Amino acid sequence: MTNSNSVDLAQFGQQAKAASFALAQLSSVQKSALLSTISQRLTENSAAILAANAIDIAQAKDNGLTDALIDRLLLDESRLAGIIADIDNVIKLDDPVGKESESKLLDNGLRLSRRSVPLGVIGVIYEARPNVTVDIAALALKTGNAVILRGGKETINSNIALSDVIRQALQQHDLPGDAVQLITSPDRALVTQLLKMDQYVDMIIPRGGQNLQRLCAEQATIPVILGGIGICHLYLDKAADLTRAAEVIINAKVQRPTVCNALDTLLIHKNIAQQYLPQIGQQLREQGVTLVACTDSQKILLMSGIECDEADEQSYSTEWLSLTLGVKVVDDMANAIEHIRQHSSGHSEAILTDNLSAATEFMNQVDSSAVYVNASTRFTDGAQFGLGAEVAVSTQKLHARGPMALEALTTYKWLAWGDYTARS
């Protein structure tokens, strides 16, 4: 790791590759002990980590960053405790590395099996959230992978503090600290350079906005996992229990509006819009939510004295990341699904309904990484899925989809045993 703007990324790659060979030899017990030390050291260094984060927050405010982005940057005692708890959850998970499957004796005399192995070196480019530094390091080390991290300049002090603690823990276990390396230079040219380091890096995971995702997809000579952009929908069916719907809708939008699994658009069946939209609209407004409404929903809201903005062509293709919610009245579920197909990023969609047939049809026809019946989109998260922490939420279909945790950071190799066997 270096704080110099003159960064030798080739050296980073060489060091990461060498470290990955050492990590690949660790047993599950050794990896769990390492993660326990990281958890302990983060707890012991909490004050220093929070102080570093306070510097980032102060600079963010001075630079005029939005409240939504500042919320993403923020670490407090509760959030840091949650990050550390996620490490403990990862420790408890089964180690996928070394598992063998498809064992069989072939007609040609070979005994064949398939073994799960680490990917090797993972490059992660991310923005804003310092928790990503710890989440990725924990999952990578659990699966025997080395990582090269490139966080945003907005969280540079937080990321340095966190990565230094992790590297110290590695060295305490006589492992190379270069298993976790942080690029601290803000030079954007380094991102493009990292994307082309296929000699050393086995996979790139970008965690950021559409511009970053597109840059990686277009420039990388390494496999890229795209995702993390959430334009999430909830369809309120005519058969929904309206006495219970508000809690889910408000949770999906308000609990933490700056994250990718927060609700962006509420679609409501026309048969219940006149009755229910004023009620849920008022409740959302009381929570500080700005409503961006289609023509039909705007008429209903304004007639009930509820303020709203008029939607335009871009409204329903926007990931709000704030207390803003698109609202649209639809003719039926087919219309709702058509809207989702047109505007969704493939992240998370939900339906509220007591009609089993409608729920099943929605599940079958909506092609996103996570689809919910009668539940909030906020559950699309590695910890909530019982996977531990996550490195990203993939919205693509190869090789991982949805919250990416341990198994998504492994590949496999074929093992063939013969008896001096030659092919006939």
Side-chain angles (χ1 to χ4, degrees), residues 119 203 225 396-401 404 407-410:
L119 285 168
M203 185 170 72
I225 298 294
Q396 64 183 44
K397 299 182 180 181
L398 294 175
H399 76 291
R401 199 177 194 197
M404 290 180 58
E407 288 192 5
L409 298 184
T410 64

Side-chain angles (χ1 to χ4, degrees), residues 8-21 119-123 145-148 181 193-204 221-222:
D8 185 354
L9 275 194
Q11 184 179 3
F12 270 56
Q14 292 166 4
Q15 293 168 167
K17 182 63 76 174
S20 73
F21 295 139
L119 285 168
V121 179
I122 302 168
N145 292 291
V147 287
I148 299 175
Q181 297 179 88
Q193 186 179 345
L194 178 61
L195 296 176
K196 299 184 183 300
M197 289 177 54
D198 49 275
Q199 182 179 357
Y200 305 111
V201 180
D202 298 285
M203 185 170 72
I204 292 288
T221 58
I222 307 165

Side-chain angles (χ1 to χ4, degrees), residues 70-362:
I70 289 174
D71 180 67
R72 286 179 167 227
L73 304 176
L74 177 65
L75 284 180
D76 55 24
E77 290 185 7
S78 175
R79 289 187 181 180
L80 184 55
I83 293 169
I84 295 170
D86 280 342
I87 298 176
D88 297 332
N89 291 335
V90 171
I91 293 171
K92 297 173 185 175
L93 297 172
D94 291 339
D95 184 355
V97 175
K99 291 185 177 180
E100 293 193 11
S101 61
E102 300 190 33
S103 180
K104 51 191 172 183
L105 181 63
L106 303 178
D107 292 341
N108 57 23
L110 293 179
R111 182 160 55 86
L112 192 67
S113 64
R114 192 171 75 170
R115 180 183 295 172
S116 176
V117 296
L119 285 168
V121 179
I122 302 168
V124 186
I125 306 164
Y126 54 108
E127 301 168 344
R129 296 195 187 112
N131 66 289
V132 175
T133 301
V134 179
D135 290 348
I136 290 172
L139 288 170
L141 294 173
K142 176 80 174 185
T143 49
N145 292 291
V147 287
I148 299 175
L149 306 171
R150 204 283 191 179
K153 62 181 181 180
E154 301 85 0
T155 52
I156 187 62
N157 295 288
S158 306
N159 290 339
I160 289 173
L162 292 166
S163 63
D164 281 351
V165 170
I166 294 168
R167 289 165 62 87
Q168 290 163 14
L170 281 160
Q171 292 163 353
Q172 183 177 328
H173 284 258
D174 296 323
L175 293 167
D178 292 328
V180 176
Q181 297 179 88
L182 175 70
I183 300 171
T184 59
S185 168
D187 186 355
R188 292 189 176 183
L190 293 172
V191 172
T192 302
Q193 186 179 345
L194 178 61
L195 296 176
K196 299 184 183 300
M197 289 177 54
D198 49 275
Q199 182 179 357
Y200 305 111
V201 180
D202 298 285
M203 185 170 72
I204 292 288
I205 302 175
R207 290 190 55 162
Q210 292 183 351
N211 290 338
L212 174 61
Q213 301 278 330
R214 184 48 46 200
L215 173 69
C216 292
E218 293 176 350
Q219 297 290 326
T221 58
I222 307 165
V224 176
I225 298 294
L226 299 177
I229 299 173
I231 301 176
C232 303
H233 300 80
L234 188 149
Y235 166 55
L236 187 65
D237 186 49
K238 63 181 179 180
D241 184 344
L242 299 184
T243 66
R244 304 176 67 191
E247 181 180 1
V248 177
I249 296 169
I250 292 171
N251 174 265
K253 178 68 260 182
V254 175
Q255 189 203 42
R256 196 170 178 195
T258 61
V259 294
C260 59
N261 57 20
L263 183 63
D264 293 291
T265 301
L266 173 64
L267 304 171
I268 181 168
H269 195 287
K270 66 179 182 180
N271 288 10
I272 57 172
Q274 196 74 42
Q275 168 194 357
Y276 189 69
L277 192 50
Q279 176 185 334
I280 189 61
Q282 181 61 35
Q283 289 176 286
L284 288 164
R285 290 292 297 168
E286 290 172 357
Q287 294 286 333
V289 177
T290 298
L291 302 175
V292 179
C294 70
T295 302
D296 290 340
S297 54
Q298 187 178 38
K299 288 179 182 178
I300 296 171
L301 291 167
L302 292 178
M303 286 179 62
S304 302
I306 300 171
E307 293 183 9
C308 61
D309 296 335
E310 183 178 359
D312 58 27
E313 292 182 0
Q314 295 301 316
S315 297
Y316 297 117
S317 296
T318 300
E319 182 186 22
W320 297 112
L321 299 175
S322 64
L323 285 173
T324 302
L325 179 67
V327 180
K328 185 176 182 180
V329 174
V330 294
D331 292 337
D332 51 27
M333 186 168 66
N335 191 205
I337 292 172
E338 181 184 357
H339 178 96
I340 291 170
R341 288 175 176 171
Q342 181 179 352
H343 297 282
S344 172
S345 62
H347 195 293
S348 302
E349 327 297 346
I351 181 175
L352 298 185
T353 185
D354 285 346
N355 184 313
L356 180 58
S357 176
T360 302
E361 183 179 353
F362 189 86

